Amino acid sequence: MRGRLHLLPYLKSALAVAVVGFAAHALTRLVPLPHVSVLFVAAVITSAALWGLGPSLFAAGLSVAAGSFLFYSPIYSFHVTDPQDFADLAVFVVVAVLTSRLAEGVRRQAREIADARLKAQGEALREALINSVSHDLQTPLAAILGSASVLETIGEHGEPRARRELAATIREQAERLASHIGNVLDLTRVRSGQIAPRLELVELSDIINGALRRKEKALAGRTLQVDVPAGLPMLRLDLFLMEHALANVLDNAAKFSPPGEPVEITME
């Protein structure tokens, strides 16, 4: 399999030379061209830009063979007798090699720039994720510590209602903190390969209902608008992971959308 993949760029280069050869052969029947070998530079440049230096040099060799066979006297022979034709082919070889190296250099630079851009984007995303996770963990933790501190201060002499409210705040924020920590752990497991998606046919309504159950408290007091047309096909996916992802989206919608605005779930 690897051998086939290794040869594939060379086969594509050969196809590019064949396409140029047929096009040049048809063109020379209409318009006489003194230096028809120049047309094969297109195949060489294409091979260098798309598949690298090796395939482009391979295309250059095939181009010389195709040019001498199809266009230089004697026709349909690899033997070139005219010194001018031989010089023409020699110039083509030099131009093809130089063009191949230049195109490969441009290709390598473009790849390095793309890799650097992807690395920078990855670092930016990583930093944003760390900041987001830090904020998500610090906010409920600060609420828990503040409520516990107040509860400790008022002690048994505080109003029962106030103590119940503080205890409810601690429980709510502790659940929120546990949810964030669970998300971080799940992400770590997914990236390390410990969690493999279990694919199965799933109804979209099952995903929505499960996510709504998960975020029932977060969506309390919100108007929900669910638009799922009838007849949508079942999807092959991991129900738990997709439900978990939608639950996080609903949590963000409840957290960051203006108060009183409805939360809409639309699927097409």
Side-chain angles (χ1 to χ4, degrees):
M1 186 66 179
R2 290 183 179 180
R4 292 181 181 178
L5 293 176
H6 180 70
L7 292 176
L8 187 59
Y10 292 89
L11 295 176
K12 291 179 178 179
S13 296
L15 179 60
V17 172
V19 170
V20 172
F22 282 118
H25 191 267
L27 185 61
T28 53
R29 289 178 175 271
L30 300 175
V31 181
L33 296 177
H35 302 288
V36 70
S37 60
V38 175
L39 297 177
F40 286 95
V41 174
V44 176
I45 294 176
T46 300
S47 300
L50 297 180
W51 307 302
L53 182 60
S56 69
L57 295 177
F58 178 69
L62 288 180
S63 297
V64 171
S68 62
F69 187 79
L70 295 173
F71 303 107
Y72 295 102
S73 181
I75 302 297
Y76 306 131
S77 170
F78 294 107
H79 182 63
V80 179
T81 58
D82 190 335
Q84 182 61 41
D85 292 342
F86 186 83
D88 190 23
L89 289 174
V91 170
F92 169 79
V93 170
V94 174
V95 172
V97 171
L98 292 178
T99 302
S100 297
R101 296 187 65 86
L102 288 174
E104 169 64 13
V106 172
R107 179 173 178 266
R108 184 171 56 251
Q109 286 183 339
R111 186 170 59 245
E112 291 175 354
I113 292 174
D115 292 342
R117 184 176 298 140
L118 287 176
K119 183 177 180 181
Q121 291 176 349
E123 289 295 329
L125 181 60
R126 177 174 173 271
E127 185 176 353
L129 180 61
I130 291 175
N131 292 336
S132 176
V133 169
S134 299
H135 178 268
D136 289 341
L137 295 180
Q138 289 174 359
T139 300
L141 183 58
I144 292 172
L145 293 175
S147 298
S149 178
V150 174
L151 186 60
E152 183 181 18
T153 300
I154 64 175
E156 298 180 356
H157 303 290
E159 295 183 3
R161 180 180 177 182
R163 293 203 304 270
R164 286 196 300 271
E165 290 179 351
L166 289 170
T169 299
I170 291 174
R171 184 184 68 253
E172 178 183 346
Q173 295 300 322
E175 291 175 351
R176 183 180 173 188
L177 180 61
S179 176
H180 289 318
I181 293 175
N183 289 340
V184 174
L185 293 176
D186 288 342
L187 178 61
T188 303
R189 293 191 188 101
V190 169
R191 294 193 63 180
S192 64
Q194 296 181 14
I195 296 181
R198 191 176 66 181
L199 302 180
E200 56 184 341
L201 291 176
V202 178
E203 293 278 0
L204 293 177
S205 57
D206 293 339
I207 301 173
I208 295 174
N209 293 334
L212 291 176
R213 284 194 300 269
R214 284 172 176 252
K215 295 302 175 181
E216 184 176 358
K217 290 184 179 180
L219 296 171
R222 291 276 188 168
T223 301
L224 292 175
Q225 296 180 358
V226 180
D227 181 14
V228 181
L232 289 179
M234 299 177 70
L235 299 179
R236 187 172 180 82
L237 46 79
D238 189 303
L239 175 61
F240 173 78
L241 294 179
M242 185 57 67
E243 183 182 298
H244 192 66
L246 182 57
N248 287 337
V249 173
L250 292 174
D251 187 55
N252 289 332
K255 188 187 304 181
F256 299 112
S257 61
E261 288 290 325
V263 175
E264 300 179 5
I265 302 176
T266 303
M267 294 194 176
E268 299 179 354

